[in-house]
């Protein structure tokens, strides 16, 4: 594949519009935000604090259960520091043609340097950097540990080494990698990530904030006591689980509209007979949220055993991101 074609394919990975997600939009994760701010925001704002001995982190690993806000945090960083954001998945840099995957990786980092200050967010990094020796869950989703996969991993590790070498060409180039499976990562990749930040399930205060954020204007109808109850009912839920609860709850009034008969003057009619734009929806209530949780079976997507595995890995290799 020609160099120009490689470059054009990767340019599509640039998030062209600022995500417009602020730190305040990220519920909880106080420690994670502080770690990322020190790693990325400080070097841009206060470059005089860094020299050949005190270097900014080039690669940061975000790990934790699905739906806890890893990609959301990356977008908040890109918004706050106004960096070019590359949003990459394994499919963007894995090719079936021998040698092209390595070229795509090199081209990605070349573009990141051209567009700096830049952040390259690589989601599901375990698909690219699983353990080359196999081991627990070490197989790759893209061909195991064959030569093709080894070459790709090697090239990625070489490029990441450049970010940690203190080369002036790499100043302002950062990588945020995310995974739901930190224990399958190759030790060589894990070593190059600092810090390694655990993005856990939201605590009670974060769940309250998430209900407010996701409910938007309808959230104004919920009292403090309502939100307190909902936070208690959703212990163990991820951020995406709560978003799913809110989505289902906001649809309850629409279902009422489709099943109830409506009074227009003295005439009862179904919704089909109501003139366009004349249908007034019933208000969203706290009962709608609780009904969704109790009757519709919107459950947590993360098991207790999975959480224990994340906590064990954090004790050995990571830092807590919620405290």
């Amino acid at each position: 594949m020609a160099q120009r074609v490689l470059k054009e394919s990767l340019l599509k990975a640039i998030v062209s519009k600022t995500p417009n997600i602020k730190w305040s939009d990220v519920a909880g994760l106080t420690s994670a935000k502080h770690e990322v701010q020190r790693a990325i925001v400080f070097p841009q704002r206060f470059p005089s604090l860094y020299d050949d001995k005190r270097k900014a982190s080039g690669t940061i690993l975000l790990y934790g259960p699905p739906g806890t806000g890893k990609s959301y945090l990356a977008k908040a960083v890109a918004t706050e520091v106004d960096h070019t954001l590359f949003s990459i998945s394994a499919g963007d840099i894995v090719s079936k043609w021998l040698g092209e995957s390595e070229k795509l990786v090199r081209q990605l980092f070349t573009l990141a340097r051209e567009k700096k200050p830049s952040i390259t967010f690589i989601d599901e990094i375990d698909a690219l950097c699983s353990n080359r020796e196999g081991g627990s869950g070490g197989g790759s989703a893209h061909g195991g540990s064959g030569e093709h996969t080894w070459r790709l991993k090697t090239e990625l590790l070489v490029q990441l080494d450049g970010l940690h070498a203190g080369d002036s060409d790499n100043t302002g180039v950062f990588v945020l990698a995310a995974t739901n499976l930190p224990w399958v990562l190759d030790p060589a990749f894990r070593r190059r990530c600092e810090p390694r930040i655990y993005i856990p399930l939201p605590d009670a205060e974060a769940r309250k904030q998430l209900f407010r954020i996701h409910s938007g204007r309808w959230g104004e109808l919920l009292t403090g006591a309502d939100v307190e109850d909902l936070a208690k009912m959703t212990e163990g839920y991820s951020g995406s689980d709560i978003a799913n609860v809110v989505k289902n709850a906001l649809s309850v009034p629409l279902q009422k509209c489709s099943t109830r008969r409506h009074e227009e003057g003295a005439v009862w009619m179904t919704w089909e007979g109501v003139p366009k734009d004349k249908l007034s929806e019933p208000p969203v209530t706290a009962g709608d949220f609780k009904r969704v949780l109790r009757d519709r079976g919107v459950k947590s997507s993360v098991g207790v055993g999975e959480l224990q595995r994340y906590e064990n890995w954090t004790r050995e290799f990571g830092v807590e991101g919620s405290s």
Side-chain angles (χ1 to χ4, degrees), residues 181-219:
L181 303 168
W183 41 82
V184 308
L185 293 175
D186 193 277
F189 173 78
R190 185 181 67 220
R191 178 178 61 80
R192 287 164 171 82
C193 297
E194 184 61 39
R196 299 179 286 270
I197 307 172
Y198 178 33
I199 309 297
L201 295 177
D203 60 18
E205 287 303 314
R207 294 197 298 275
K208 293 178 195 176
Q209 189 178 348
L210 285 166
F211 273 107
R212 294 291 191 194
I213 290 171
H214 290 301
S215 299
R217 62 185 176 90
W218 289 280

Side-chain angles (χ1 to χ4, degrees), residues 113-220:
R113 293 179 183 103
E114 289 177 4
K115 301 287 185 181
K116 66 181 184 180
S118 66
I119 297 170
T120 300
F121 176 67
I122 308 177
D123 201 8
E124 297 183 353
I125 189 66
D126 49 278
L128 300 174
C129 287
S130 56
N131 196 329
R132 289 173 290 182
E133 296 181 359
S136 176
S140 170
H142 301 280
S145 57
E147 180 186 355
H148 180 72
T149 307
W150 274 64
R151 288 160 62 105
L152 185 155
K153 292 176 183 176
T154 300
E155 183 61 40
L156 181 57
L157 294 175
V158 167
Q159 294 295 332
L160 293 177
D161 274 338
L163 300 185
H164 295 269
D167 191 324
S168 60
D169 288 344
N170 295 316
T171 303
V173 179
F174 301 95
V175 171
L176 276 175
T179 181
N180 302 326
L181 303 168
W183 41 82
V184 308
L185 293 175
D186 193 277
F189 173 78
R190 185 181 67 220
R191 178 178 61 80
R192 287 164 171 82
C193 297
E194 184 61 39
R196 299 179 286 270
I197 307 172
Y198 178 33
I199 309 297
L201 295 177
D203 60 18
E205 287 303 314
R207 294 197 298 275
K208 293 178 195 176
Q209 189 178 348
L210 285 166
F211 273 107
R212 294 291 191 194
I213 290 171
H214 290 301
S215 299
R217 62 185 176 90
W218 289 280
E220 297 173 3

